[in-house]
Amino acid sequence: MLLDLARDRRVLFIGGKGGVGKTAVASTTALHRAQHSAPQGAARQGTQQGARVLVVSTDPAHNLGHLWEREVGDEVVTLWEDCGAPPEVRPARLDGVEIDPEATTAAHLADVGETLRSMMPAHLHGEVDKHLRLAARSPGTHEAAILERIAALLQDHGEDHDLIVFDTAPSGHTARLMALPEIMTAWTEGLLDRRTRAERFGAAVRALDGDDAPDGSSAAARDRRIRQVLTRRRNRFEAMRQVLSDASRCSFVIVLTAERLPVLESVELHAQLTETGVDVGGFVVNRLAPRDAGDFLAARRDQEQRHLDELGRRVPGAVVDTLPLLRGDLVGVAALERLGEHLR
């Protein structure tokens, strides 16, 4: 299931309860796609090209860099590249980025502040700064900033990469994030409608005052600036909403372990995503105990099977991939390749 989705989709979100191995599953999926699949459209173009994949961590507790044994930050870096590709073939490549929530929020508020100050008289700039300081601690600011960054990554890298895999934050944060594009699109549409009414009223007032020079007036210039900002944001959120709601382009995969709480949380996340209109491609049950490694692990595997049966009852028809509990730490390319062999 998971590898089929990675081959057929352009965007995958990997989510679930904290600590179930989302980063490992996201990285394994992305690496396998880069190593084994040609990009969509390569045959039509008549050229041989390796797949380009981007894995993005949106989880504040970043593990991507630790897993890949290298520093991964807020800028895109190359994690793996096919160095043996012949000169006439574009080498396959896997890139990675960890979205820094603090830096993203700060950049988001700085952009908002610059826009607001350009629209306000100088004596109100202090009030703008005060408002932004309060907004930095307000509920929803972090989610809005992360959403803007995700939308920007989809916009900026959607053409350069054949697949973008998002390693998301724990379930509750991700469910809210998936619902935000539609909310933000509707909100900016409302602001644009109000902006239209305000512009018409302003033009009427200027005409009555004999100051009917909209192209040169500061008020008209401010109106155009506001409309440009709102239109840009509306278009970005709308583009992301269209991606999320298109099952042919985007799917969500829920990772869990076969334990009571992860199963219950995964069932709830599945319901929330489905209600939001996001296609849930299936579940990946990670770290299943072996049956042939002693009585203790065999008994645990029996208990895990009961939880898997419960998942099947609560989500009829669910597509489930399983991954075994592996020896040693899951770190580096070789370990990810070994994990990927169990997804075939």
Side-chain angles (χ1 to χ4, degrees):
M1 172 269 299
L2 183 55
L3 298 184
D4 290 337
L5 290 173
R7 183 186 64 246
D8 298 336
R9 303 295 189 271
R10 298 301 300 267
V11 179
L12 280 182
F13 285 87
I14 309 294
K17 183 176 173 61
V20 296
K22 297 187 297 295
T23 301
V25 171
S27 292
T28 297
T29 304
L31 180 62
H32 189 278
R33 174 72 166 91
Q35 289 183 334
H36 295 90
S37 302
Q40 295 176 355
R44 291 194 303 271
Q45 295 169 9
T47 59
Q48 288 185 297
Q49 300 181 58
R52 297 286 174 91
V53 183
L54 175 65
V55 58
V56 181
S57 173
T58 71
D59 191 344
H62 291 306
N63 292 312
L64 198 61
H66 300 307
L67 191 152
W68 285 91
E69 296 184 297
R70 59 157 301 163
E71 186 172 342
V72 180
D74 202 52
E75 298 296 328
V76 175
V77 297
T78 298
L79 300 175
W80 175 88
E81 188 169 16
D82 181 10
C83 298
E88 67 275 10
V89 176
R90 185 187 75 175
R93 193 178 74 208
L94 172 60
D95 298 326
V97 61
E98 291 181 340
I99 295 179
D100 184 333
E102 298 300 326
T104 299
T105 302
H108 170 73
L109 291 176
D111 183 52
V112 171
E114 182 181 354
T115 300
L116 288 175
R117 281 188 290 271
S118 72
M119 300 172 185
M120 299 288 189
H123 69 275
L124 291 179
H125 287 187
E127 291 299 314
V128 170
D129 294 337
K130 179 181 177 182
H131 170 76
L132 292 176
R133 285 194 295 271
L134 292 173
R137 298 188 294 271
S138 298
T141 299
H142 169 83
E143 285 88 351
I146 295 296
L147 181 70
E148 289 246 21
R149 185 69 195 283
I150 291 175
L153 285 168
L154 287 172
Q155 189 176 63
D156 297 341
H157 294 276
E159 295 298 324
D160 297 338
H161 291 83
D162 304 290
L163 173 68
I164 301 179
V165 181
F166 288 96
D167 166 30
T168 68
S171 304
H173 298 285
T174 300
R176 289 195 298 272
L177 194 67
M178 294 295 100
L180 270 180
E182 185 168 359
I183 295 170
M184 296 294 281
T185 299
W187 181 65
T188 50
E189 286 282 5
L191 289 177
L192 279 167
D193 288 342
R194 286 192 288 274
R195 191 70 245 153
T196 298
R197 291 194 292 271
E199 288 170 2
R200 290 171 180 168
F201 180 75
V205 170
R206 288 194 297 271
L208 289 173
D209 288 344
D211 184 23
D212 191 12
D215 290 337
S217 69
S218 60
R222 183 191 62 195
D223 288 343
R224 286 196 299 273
R225 171 64 173 157
I226 294 173
R227 176 168 290 281
Q228 288 170 356
V229 171
L230 291 176
T231 300
R232 185 187 69 211
R233 288 170 62 86
R234 188 271 312 275
N235 292 344
R236 180 171 282 179
F237 290 137
E238 173 61 19
M240 184 177 178
R241 189 188 68 80
Q242 289 179 1
V243 170
L244 292 180
S245 61
D246 185 353
S248 68
R249 287 192 288 170
C250 175
S251 286
F252 198 106
V253 175
I254 300 173
V255 181
L256 67 153
T257 50
E259 301 169 284
R260 181 175 180 273
L261 290 182
V263 166
L264 294 177
E265 190 167 317
S266 297
V267 170
E268 183 177 356
L269 177 59
H270 178 275
Q272 292 170 335
L273 292 169
T274 302
E275 184 179 358
T276 304
V278 176
D279 174 67
V280 180
F283 298 82
V284 174
V285 181
N286 196 19
R287 303 177 192 144
L288 281 178
R291 293 188 182 277
D292 57 353
D295 293 341
F296 175 81
L297 288 177
R300 179 168 180 81
R301 182 66 182 84
D302 290 338
Q303 181 183 22
E304 290 173 337
Q305 187 58 50
R306 289 193 290 272
H307 291 307
L308 287 179
D309 294 340
E310 180 66 15
L311 174 65
R313 284 191 293 270
R314 288 177 176 264
V315 188
V319 181
V320 179
D321 281 353
T322 60
L323 288 170
L325 178 67
L326 299 179
R327 293 186 180 186
D329 294 328
L330 189 61
V331 176
V333 173
L336 291 172
E337 289 173 338
R338 287 196 299 273
L339 182 63
E341 292 176 357
H342 295 280
L343 284 172
R344 298 177 185 178

